[in-house]
């Protein structure tokens, strides 16, 4: 490839990476931001971010949120989401599975995935209990804080896990540090066992259940989870795991 052509291709690729980083920064913030705030969050040159933001606004990928220069995710992304929903039956299949799990157990049911180097709840159905047990859909959470995280990284070596998970994410909400070697060992055992359960690190009165939705190669494409009060989790432990495993197997053809 001609050197000038290669430089152009590389520059455009970097610009595309920056554009997606901007979208991620806005989604993670959950509110409109000025371009300089986006640049600060990304640790990127302001001039570059201003240029890319202006291009994305022109394309309706971002849209102006106020007269002070703040921008947020644009209407074109909504159309992309609609197109994906029409093409893929995964959202409807996952929704039906979560509806069934929440109805049968009365617990909060979740479909969880990796989002870069974080964990997120992609879809959720709340249980029928009088008090609310749930997480914010789309919120990015450190992987070591979650039951699902063990399954989603269970196919990786300790070194690969260290490369993926930011070092700061091994500090738990309590302030204690989780040894990456212990996390890797838990992850390998969890994937081999086909489940991981523990008392929530984030919420002191709940217990989390997670099982993998497997790809043909045995890695976890996603997880199905139940979040239950500790007493109910103890009483129904085996039953909840059985229901989760059955539901996960029903989704696996979507990941072939």
């Amino acid at each position: 490839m001609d050197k000038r052509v290669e430089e152009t291709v590389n520059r455009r690729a970097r610009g595309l990476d920056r554009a997606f980083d901007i979208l991620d920064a806005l989604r993670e913030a959950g509110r409109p931001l000025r371009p300089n705030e986006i640049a600060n969050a990304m640790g990127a040159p302001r001039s570059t971010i201003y240029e890319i933001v202006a291009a994305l606004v022109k394309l309706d990928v971002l849209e102006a949120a106020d007269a002070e220069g703040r921008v947020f995710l644009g209407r074109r992304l909504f159309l992309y989401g609609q197109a994906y929903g029409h093409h893929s039956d995964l959202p409807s299949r996952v929704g039906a599975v979560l509806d069934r799990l929440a109805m049968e157990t009365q617990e909060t049911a979740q479909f969880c995935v990796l989002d870069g180097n974080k964990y997120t709840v992609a879809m959720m159905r709340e249980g029928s209990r009088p008090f609310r047990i749930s997480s914010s859909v789309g919120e990015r959470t450190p992987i070591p804080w979650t039951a699902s995280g063990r399954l989603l990284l269970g196919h990786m070596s300790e070194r690969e896990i260290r490369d993926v998970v930011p070092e700061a994410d091994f500090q738990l909400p309590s302030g204690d540090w989780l040894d990456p070697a212990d996390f890797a060992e838990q992850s390998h055992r969890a994937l081999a066992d086909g489940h991981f359960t523990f008392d929530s690190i984030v919420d002191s009165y709940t217990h989390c259940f997670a099982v993998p939705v497997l790809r043909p190669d045995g890695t976890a494409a996603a997880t199905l989870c139940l979040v239950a009060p500790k007493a109910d989790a103890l009483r129904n432990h085996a039953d909840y795991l059985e229901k989760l495993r059955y539901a996960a197997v029903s989704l696996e053809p979507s990941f072939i």
Side-chain angles (χ1 to χ4, degrees):
M1 183 184 294
D2 181 271
K3 185 176 181 180
R4 286 175 297 180
V5 174
E6 184 176 0
E7 289 176 351
T8 300
V9 171
N10 290 339
R11 185 170 62 254
R12 288 177 176 173
R14 289 194 297 273
L16 185 60
D17 288 341
R18 290 286 198 197
F20 278 102
D21 288 342
I22 289 169
L23 299 180
D24 285 340
L26 287 168
R27 194 195 69 169
E28 188 164 0
R31 60 182 177 85
L33 298 174
R34 297 186 181 92
N36 66 307
E37 294 175 310
I38 297 171
N40 290 338
M42 293 171 52
R46 293 188 181 187
S47 59
T48 301
I49 299 307
Y50 272 95
E51 181 180 349
I52 297 174
V53 165
L56 293 176
V57 168
K58 189 176 294 185
L59 293 168
D60 288 334
V61 174
L62 298 180
E63 57 187 35
D66 56 32
E68 297 181 8
R70 294 182 179 87
V71 296
F72 199 61
L73 306 177
R75 63 185 66 86
R76 196 163 188 170
L77 298 176
F78 172 72
L79 298 176
Y80 291 151
Q82 279 193 318
Y84 175 77
H86 289 312
H87 171 73
S88 173
D89 67 347
L90 182 61
S92 61
R93 292 189 65 190
V94 171
V97 165
L98 294 179
D99 286 338
R100 186 173 69 247
L101 281 170
M103 180 185 67
E104 291 178 350
T105 66
Q106 300 183 28
E107 311 293 1
T108 294
Q110 300 173 337
F111 177 76
C112 307
V113 296
L114 290 179
D115 179 14
N117 61 6
K118 295 288 192 279
Y119 149 98
T120 191
V121 178
M123 294 180 67
M124 180 177 67
R125 297 291 188 272
E126 292 187 9
S128 57
R129 296 183 175 280
F131 53 92
R132 185 173 182 267
I133 299 177
S134 64
S135 302
S136 298
V137 171
E139 181 177 343
R140 302 177 83 230
T141 303
I143 295 170
W145 296 12
T146 68
S148 291
R150 273 80 175 168
L151 295 162
L152 293 167
L153 300 190
H155 62 287
M156 295 183 179
S157 67
E158 180 184 338
R159 172 45 54 194
E160 290 172 326
I161 289 173
R162 287 175 181 266
D163 288 342
V164 168
V165 180
E167 183 179 355
D169 286 3
F170 287 104
Q171 185 172 28
L172 305 178
S174 65
D176 294 334
W177 286 85
L178 175 61
D179 187 337
D182 291 341
F183 176 78
E185 182 181 349
Q186 292 171 10
S187 299
H188 299 156
R189 186 169 63 249
L191 191 57
D193 292 344
H195 69 269
F196 190 83
T197 83
F198 71 166
D199 289 342
S200 172
I201 291 173
V202 179
D203 188 334
S204 61
Y205 65 90
T206 61
H207 190 85
C208 302
F209 298 78
V211 302
V213 180
L214 296 174
R215 301 185 182 94
D217 64 2
T219 62
T223 63
L224 286 175
C225 310
L226 288 173
V227 184
K230 288 181 179 178
D232 296 278
L234 179 63
R235 182 169 58 252
N236 299 294
H237 200 276
D239 180 56
Y240 285 179
L241 280 178
E242 182 180 358
K243 285 181 168 59
L244 280 170
R245 289 192 183 105
Y246 178 81
V249 169
S250 74
L251 288 176
E252 287 174 0
S254 298
F255 295 92
I256 292 177

